């Protein structure tokens, strides 16, 4: 039996992706573990690894194809003894109905030992809809839904016995178009310009930021923090860590400080979840990393419990893989708060946009020598401005202020972070 | 108290009586008001009696062409009075049928002329001069339409006929002029041509059967010419004068040249006008549109609350089954059910001439105009075994699909028995099948319906018997 290779779900929420690049060609021998293709999801480019052996008989979805639905057959492998040349493409490659409860085989969150690379799900037959109920829809409605990326399960039908018909799809498309934030068409006119199709990452960034700014009421609290003690400590630590080849960055210390502050002021370590508030007992700090074409926020989980050296090593490793576009979804999704540092660009102070469902983000400005009053006299000190953006639905101004105070306290008296 | 209803329907044609039955099924107390005969034009003066006549001319055609089937019919002929009598009997039988249906469904029938006097009030004037006062929560106007006259020549029933006169002829015209080439014009042209008349059709538009797909019009033009008819398109009758023994017509041809010709009879089939006079809608402020048709929404509702309208009185397509379906949708909505709004896209149209024409949905040109990229399939009768066996190898089945979605946008057929075939595509459209389901469907062999399959296959480059 020829094996059908299907578009894998590389994250729990992935419904479609771009088949960015084929790394094998028709006729190639495939062994388990071979990297076959690169697939671009809304967050990252991932490698698609073979789990079967045989000869790649047919590529059904050419590289560069956008919006390939999860479950679509993308290629066919001929097993040993089969004639690859004689294998025909299936008449139709249908994506299985998109339902959330169909946990994709490659969902990393449920895989205890997360594989280093995302493997293709075993070629299991497309699962029928999870609850066993067939959705009543006309063939034309099904096709229109597929072509327009609509989930039939989310629609209600106006036909006999609730059957979904063309009119319902059209209504949904009209409604959807009206509800979507309408970006005014931009006319570049005669200004010399070029246009570029948005990458999936850019689309996600645009959607998430718009959503955050439109739905989350932000409150911004800024403090100035003297950095000299922290810089001193860093120098001492790095000197003693040199034999272990570890070099802590200022940011590593600030991650730790933010995590510790959040544990001290738990009212700021929260998520606003509609009719309930979630308070976290661990500080998972998402670190904004700028990567080619956008930005991603790998997460240092349990940063409050980790040593500075552990945090440093982890950030280095995560940032490295982020820049290669090879993070797994669980490594950048979630987190209880974020930190974004623009100090290296000389930015004095800025207000960051909260990354929902997190309750706050800390924006770090440049550490610079400023005239500063120390012990009742004007001196030169290294000072930075830090601004916390808080979800004001969940966090009161006074609580946010307490967190800023705790953060300042820890950075200015950094030994507190070590114990 | 007994004259208080949930719904009164003015007119008992295929729109009115079907709506009355559906309303009764849904528990309403219903009355119907009819000035003439139950069943309306369709049953008494339209669809049904003409089909009886056309059946006669079809059999007569076979008789005169019997040798093609190895038969001998040496002495052929007909008794026109008996032909007409049969047609009237068929109409009469169905009229009785509707009377029975009204009784069975407990629909009160009031004979007389109904006029709406106020919202929810209706007065019926009976033939013997009495008046009956009725009242209802809702009143539905289903009064239909009648043939439109030429502005310069009224039909006299002797030399100048409407469909109504053409249905009860005392003689077969020797030389017949048919003005207008819609379904009615072409059907009468076909009937009288097969019965031996020399027929000329004059059509104002550039092609005959102008609402059908252009390929169908072209094919029909050829077929009728082959039967010996004279067809003038893009032409107009400028003058029509009835004499004692003939009718003189001045016809302006497509090039603008006017010539006078003499005919024994002329049939005027240039469209219809709605029957709204004295219904009382003007006083109520019911909105009418182009040509006096009552304007309604997808549920038969006029701009005046409590006043509904369905069928020919609301505009084209002027088809009995359109009226029936409109009536059902309007009544269901009134009863608080949740029907889909009425649309004309899924209404098949049929012409019972020889050859027959049947279609549903968009023509190829309409589909393109609506912005569809189309895939078109076409399968000829000559490629179908049953058609050849029947000795009816002329015609074709054409299908139009949306290239992107595979939606069956329209189907157009011309040839033997296609009026009985079109329903397959109407079901397909209503169920919203795509080309995939139609291709997977098994069509029985040997039937004409196989052409419907082949046409779909042809649209996708998979035709078998071509």
């Amino acid at each position: 039996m020829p094996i059908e290779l299907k578009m894998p779900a590389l994250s729990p929420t992935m419904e479609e992706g771009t088949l960015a690049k084929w790394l094998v060609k028709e006729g190639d021998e495939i062994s388990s573990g071979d990297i076959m293709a690169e697939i671009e999801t809304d967050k990252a480019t991932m490698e698609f690894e073979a789990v079967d052996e045989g000869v790649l008989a047919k590529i059904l979805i050419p590289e560069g194809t956008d919006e390939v639905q999860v479950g679509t057959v993308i290629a066919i492998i001929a097993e040993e003894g089969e004639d690859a040349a004689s294998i025909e493409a299936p008449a139709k490659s249908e994506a299985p109905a998109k339902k959330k409860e169909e946990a994709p085989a490659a969902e990393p969150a449920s895989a205890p030992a997360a594989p280093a690379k995302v493997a293709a799900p075993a070629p299991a037959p497309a699962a029928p809809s999870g609850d066993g109920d067939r959705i009543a829809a006309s063939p034309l409605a099904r096709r229109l839904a597929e072509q327009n990326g609509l989930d039939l399960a989310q629609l209600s039908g106006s036909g006999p016995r609730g059957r979904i018909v063309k009119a319902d799809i059209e209504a949904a498309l009209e409604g959807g178009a009206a509800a979507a934030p309408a970006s005014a068409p931009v006319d570049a006119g005669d200004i010399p310009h070029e246009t570029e199709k948005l990458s999936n990452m850019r689309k996600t960034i645009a959607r998430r930021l718009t959503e955050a700014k439109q739905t989350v009421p932000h409150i911004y609290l800024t403090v100035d923090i003297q950095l000299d003690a922290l810089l001193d400590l860093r120098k001492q630590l790095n000197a003693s860590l040199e034999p272990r080849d570890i070099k802590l960055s200022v940011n590593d210390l600030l991650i730790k400080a933010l995590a510790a502050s959040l544990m001290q002021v738990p009212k700021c370590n929260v998520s606003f979840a509609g009719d309930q508030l979630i308070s976290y007992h661990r500080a998972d700090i998402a670190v904004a990393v700028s990567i080619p074409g956008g930005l991603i926020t790998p997460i240092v989980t349990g940063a409050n419990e980790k040593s500075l050296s552990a945090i440093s090593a982890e950030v280095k490793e995560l940032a490295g893989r982020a820049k290669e576009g090879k993070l797994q979804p669980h490594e950048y999704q979630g987190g209880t708060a974020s930190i974004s540092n623009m100090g290296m660009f000389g930015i004095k102070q800025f207000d960051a946009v909260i990354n929902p469902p997190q309750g706050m983000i800390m924006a770090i400005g440049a550490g610079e020598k400023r005239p500063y009053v120390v012990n009742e006299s004007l001196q030169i000190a290294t000072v930075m401005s830090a601004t916390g953006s808080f979800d004001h639905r969940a966090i009161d101004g006074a609580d946010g202020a307490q967190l800023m105070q705790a953060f300042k306290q820890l950075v200015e008296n950094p030994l507190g972070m070590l114990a | 108290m007994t004259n208080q209803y949930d719904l009164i329907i003015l007119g008992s044609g295929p729109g009115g009586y079907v709506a009355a039955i559906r309303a009764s099924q849904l528990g309403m107390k219903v009355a119907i008001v009819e000035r003439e005969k139950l069943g309306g034009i369709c049953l008494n003066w339209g669809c049904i009696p003409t089909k009886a006549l056309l059946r006669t001319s079809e059999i007569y055609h076979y008789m005169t062409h019997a040798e093609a089937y190895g038969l001998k019919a040496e002495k052929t002929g007909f008794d026109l009075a008996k032909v007409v009598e049969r047609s009237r009997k068929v109409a009469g039988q169905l009229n009785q049928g509707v009377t029975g249906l009204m009784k069975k469904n407990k629909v009160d029938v009031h004979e007389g002329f109904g006029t709406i006097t106020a919202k929810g009030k209706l007065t019926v004037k009976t033939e013997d001069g009495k008046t009956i006062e009725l009242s209802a929560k809702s009143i539905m106007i289903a009064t239909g339409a009648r043939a439109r006259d030429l502005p310069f020549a009224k039909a006299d029933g002797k030399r100048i006929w409407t469909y109504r006169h053409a249905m009860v002829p005392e003689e077969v015209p020797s030389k017949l002029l048919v003005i207008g080439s819609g379904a009615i014009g072409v059907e009468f042209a076909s009937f009288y041509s097969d019965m031996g008349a020399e027929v000329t059709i004059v059509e104002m538009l550039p092609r005959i059967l102008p609402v059908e797909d252009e390929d169908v019009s072209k094919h029909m033009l050829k077929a009728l010419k082959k039967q010996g008819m004279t067809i003038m398109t893009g032409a107009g009758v400028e003058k029509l004068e009835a004499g004692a023994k003939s009718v003189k017509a001045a016809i302006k041809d497509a090039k603008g040249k006017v010539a006078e010709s003499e005919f024994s009879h002329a049939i005027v089939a240039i469209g219809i006008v709605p029957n709204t006079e004295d219904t009382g809608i003007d006083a109520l402020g019911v909105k009418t549109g182009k040509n006096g048709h009552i304007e309604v929404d997808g549920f038969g509702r006029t701009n005046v609350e409590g006043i509904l309208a369905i069928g020919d009185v609301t505009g084209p397509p002027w088809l009995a089954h359109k009226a029936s379906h409109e009536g059902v949708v309007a009544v269901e909505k009134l009863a608080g059910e949740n029907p889909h709004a009425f649309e004309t896209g899924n209404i098949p149209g049929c012409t019972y001439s020889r050859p027959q024409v049947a279609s549903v949905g968009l023509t190829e040109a309409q589909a393109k105009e609506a912005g569809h990229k189309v895939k078109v399939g076409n399968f000829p009768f000559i490629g179908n075994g049953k058609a050849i066996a029947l000795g009816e190898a002329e015609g074709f089945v054409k299908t139009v699909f949306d290239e992107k979605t595979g939606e069956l946008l329209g189907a157009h057929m011309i040839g033997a028995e296609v009026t009985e075939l079109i329903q397959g595509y109407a079901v397909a459209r209503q169920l919203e099948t795509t080309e995939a389901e139609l291709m997977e469907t098994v069509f029985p062999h040997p039937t004409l319906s196989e052409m419907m399959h082949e046409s779909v296959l042809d649209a996708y480059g998979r035709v078998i018997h071509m």
Side-chain angles (χ1 to χ4, degrees), chain B residues 212 319 321 346-352 357-361 413 419 422:
Chain B
E212 299 292 345
L319 297 167
H321 45 277
N346 279 348
I347 304 170
C350 295
T351 304
Y352 297 79
V357 171
S359 61
V360 66
M413 313 195 222
T419 56
I422 194 65

Side-chain angles (χ1 to χ4, degrees), chain A residues 138-141 143-144 147 158-159 163 165-166, chain B residues 340 404-407 431-437:
Chain A
S138 78
L140 182 60
R143 190 175 283 174
L144 289 169
Q147 288 178 347
S158 64
R163 188 173 187 251
V165 294
K166 182 185 170 192
Chain B
H340 271 165
K404 184 164 175 251
T405 64
E407 179 179 5
L431 294 182
E432 298 186 348
T433 65
T434 67
E435 88 292 345
E437 293 75 31

Side-chain angles (χ1 to χ4, degrees), chain A residues 320-349:
Chain A
R321 281 197 290 122
K323 282 177 181 153
E324 291 167 31
K326 286 180 179 164
L327 286 182
Q328 291 180 40
H330 75 281
E331 294 176 312
Y332 56 76
Q333 287 176 357
T336 66
S338 291
I339 189 164
S340 176
N341 191 337
M342 302 239 276
M344 60 290 243
F345 303 115
I347 300 299
K348 188 182 173 77
Q349 185 270 332

Side-chain angles (χ1 to χ4, degrees), chain A residues 241-252:
Chain A
L241 286 168
E242 208 179 343
R244 284 165 59 192
D245 208 17
I246 293 172
K247 200 177 168 198
L248 303 176
S249 70
V250 172
N251 208 47
D252 296 335

